[in-house]
Amino acid sequence: MDLRNRINLLIELGEFMLSEDVSWKEAKTRAFHHNPWFIPDFIDLSVSQIVKRFLQKDLLEEWAGDYQIPEQTYIPKKIGLVMAGNIPLVGFHDFLCCFMNGHHPVIKLSSRDSWLFPPILEFLNKNNPENDQILVSPVLKGMDAYIATGSNNSARYFDYYFGKYPNLIRRNRTSIALLEGNETDEELGKLADDVFLYFGLGCRNVTQIHVPENYDFIPLLRAFRKFQWMADHHKYKNNYDYRLSLAILNKLQYMTNDCLLMLENESLFSPIAVLHYTHYKDPENAIPKENNESLQCIIGRKFLPFGESQHPELRDYADGADTMQFLRSV
């Protein structure tokens, strides 16, 4: 399939993903039934993000032009994609990069997100004029290259199994925010999105904030009550209760608004229902230099704007590794 047809098919896919197609609606219902973290609102948010920021003709054509993707891919490669499942359709961008380059993706789905991709792939396969089928497989062998996303622990296994092939292996990442102390209520409300969307399970979610000394946390905690409803979600509430119990047992100083626990902690990574914070004296030196390889996003007035962490563009590559360039070099 030439590039023009691939782009046109992706535009049709976007229309399908926003449609009331019965099979698609059933897939979203099953995804929530099998994974309670995938609530309907967050599935719809992910779908809307993909369609509006990825699957637009002008965006795709400009993106393809940036990498000088030829109209025809004369020697397509088989690319093994090991997808994560922390948030709905989190592996779509990897698939999109592969598809845009004209390669043949073979996908190993996460057990936590195995319901949303099949109807998408079925739509693409059904409407592919050249019958270049996109495959799902529980085992990826004999690929020309691999893209795998997982934890630091699983990355060691990926290195072992895929190390002798061209590969792009991603590890744990998270995001932080730098506050100046005079943020508006609107900015703090947008920061709440950066912290809470997808229950904080994404690598683009803020898990630690850096605040000036003598920072007033009251407006922040008030703004975070925007997501008070999460206290009624049983899995989130179980995590909150568990972390609160640990804080009390260990006699840790904490703050809470009954939907989030805030702890002073130097770790960039925080558990579900917990947000770490640390104080700084000099804003110029507030961002840690030693753990930058663990950072996906930095949120703040001088960085990525508040509220934008969960709205990546086509060129916002996970781990800062240019997936398109990698696939062009295979």
Side-chain angles (χ1 to χ4, degrees):
M1 194 189 327
D2 61 32
L3 177 62
R4 188 181 308 276
N5 283 332
R6 292 200 299 275
I7 290 177
N8 289 336
L9 183 53
L10 288 170
I11 303 309
E12 294 175 13
L13 173 63
E15 295 172 355
F16 167 77
M17 293 174 70
L18 294 179
S19 74
E20 295 296 314
D21 180 87
V22 174
S23 65
W24 178 231
K25 290 176 67 176
E26 289 178 348
K28 291 192 287 185
T29 299
R30 287 196 300 270
F32 172 53
H33 176 74
H34 287 273
N35 185 346
W37 294 112
F38 284 18
I39 62 173
D41 284 350
F42 286 165
I43 292 176
D44 289 341
L45 175 63
S46 178
V47 169
S48 175
Q49 155 69 33
I50 288 171
V51 175
K52 293 179 180 179
R53 302 225 176 187
F54 295 172
L55 303 183
Q56 300 296 317
K57 187 173 184 179
D58 57 337
L59 299 179
L60 291 171
E61 289 178 343
E62 182 181 351
W63 193 38
D66 288 345
Y67 293 90
Q68 299 181 328
I69 297 176
E71 191 65 24
Q72 292 283 355
T73 304
Y74 296 103
I75 309 177
K77 304 293 185 179
K78 291 175 67 177
I79 311 297
L81 302 179
V82 181
M83 292 192 172
N86 48 324
I87 67 176
L89 295 171
V90 69
F92 187 89
H93 191 266
D94 283 343
F95 160 76
L96 181 60
C97 292
C98 189
F99 188 80
M100 281 289 288
N101 275 284
H103 294 313
H104 297 320
V106 182
I107 302 171
K108 184 181 188 302
L109 295 173
S110 167
S111 60
R112 295 175 292 169
D113 189 10
S114 59
W115 298 97
L116 296 173
F117 270 101
I120 290 174
L121 302 183
E122 181 180 354
F123 177 88
L124 292 172
N125 287 335
K126 179 180 177 181
N127 293 279
N128 187 333
E130 298 180 19
N131 201 34
D132 295 330
Q133 297 297 289
I134 303 165
L135 303 177
V136 173
S137 175
V139 178
L140 301 179
K141 290 185 177 181
M143 303 291 109
D144 296 301
Y146 292 88
I147 300 176
T149 304
S151 66
N152 289 346
N153 187 50
S154 60
R156 289 194 288 269
Y157 291 95
F158 296 152
D159 282 328
Y160 176 78
Y161 287 111
F162 306 146
K164 61 183 178 181
Y165 304 95
N167 66 74
L168 185 58
I169 296 174
R170 305 197 185 96
R171 293 163 171 80
N172 286 348
R173 288 253 177 165
T174 192
S175 300
I176 63 174
L178 177 65
L179 304 185
E180 297 176 6
N182 57 356
E183 283 73 21
T184 65
D185 289 342
E186 181 182 5
E187 287 175 318
L188 295 179
K190 291 179 178 179
L191 175 61
D193 292 346
D194 298 321
V195 173
F196 286 96
L197 287 180
Y198 305 114
F199 295 104
L201 293 170
C203 67
R204 299 179 68 89
N205 283 106
V206 169
T207 52
Q208 185 193 55
I209 60 173
H210 296 253
V211 299
E213 292 183 326
N214 301 316
Y215 179 75
D216 181 7
F217 286 91
I218 299 301
L220 181 66
L221 289 167
R222 187 185 303 122
F224 282 177
R225 293 186 70 84
K226 173 182 179 179
F227 288 90
Q228 183 67 36
W229 59 266
M230 284 189 177
D232 296 324
H233 186 276
H234 69 284
K235 292 183 76 68
Y236 184 89
K237 184 63 162 59
N238 288 342
N239 278 272
Y240 173 83
D241 289 344
Y242 174 70
R243 295 297 169 181
L244 178 59
S245 298
L246 285 181
I248 294 172
L249 287 172
N250 289 304
K251 299 181 180 180
L252 298 178
Q253 183 177 347
Y254 66 88
M255 293 176 285
T256 183
N257 60 358
D258 298 325
C259 66
L260 182 73
L261 193 67
M262 296 193 62
L263 299 173
E264 187 167 12
N265 195 307
E266 294 294 329
S267 174
L268 301 179
F269 294 86
S270 63
I272 297 172
V274 176
L275 178 64
H276 288 165
Y277 68 89
T278 184
H279 291 94
Y280 66 80
K281 293 182 180 179
D282 179 8
E284 298 299 322
N285 297 314
I287 302 302
K289 304 294 192 300
E290 64 277 7
N291 290 316
N292 279 350
E293 71 279 359
S294 297
L295 291 179
Q296 185 64 48
C297 303
I298 301 176
I299 309 298
R301 287 174 175 167
K302 297 179 180 179
F303 302 94
L304 187 67
F306 293 109
E308 288 298 309
S309 69
Q310 294 301 337
H311 303 288
E313 306 288 349
L314 283 168
R315 296 168 185 79
D316 291 328
Y317 300 104
D319 286 20
D322 191 327
T323 314
M324 288 288 277
Q325 190 61 48
F326 168 74
L327 290 168
R328 296 289 297 133
S329 67
V330 171

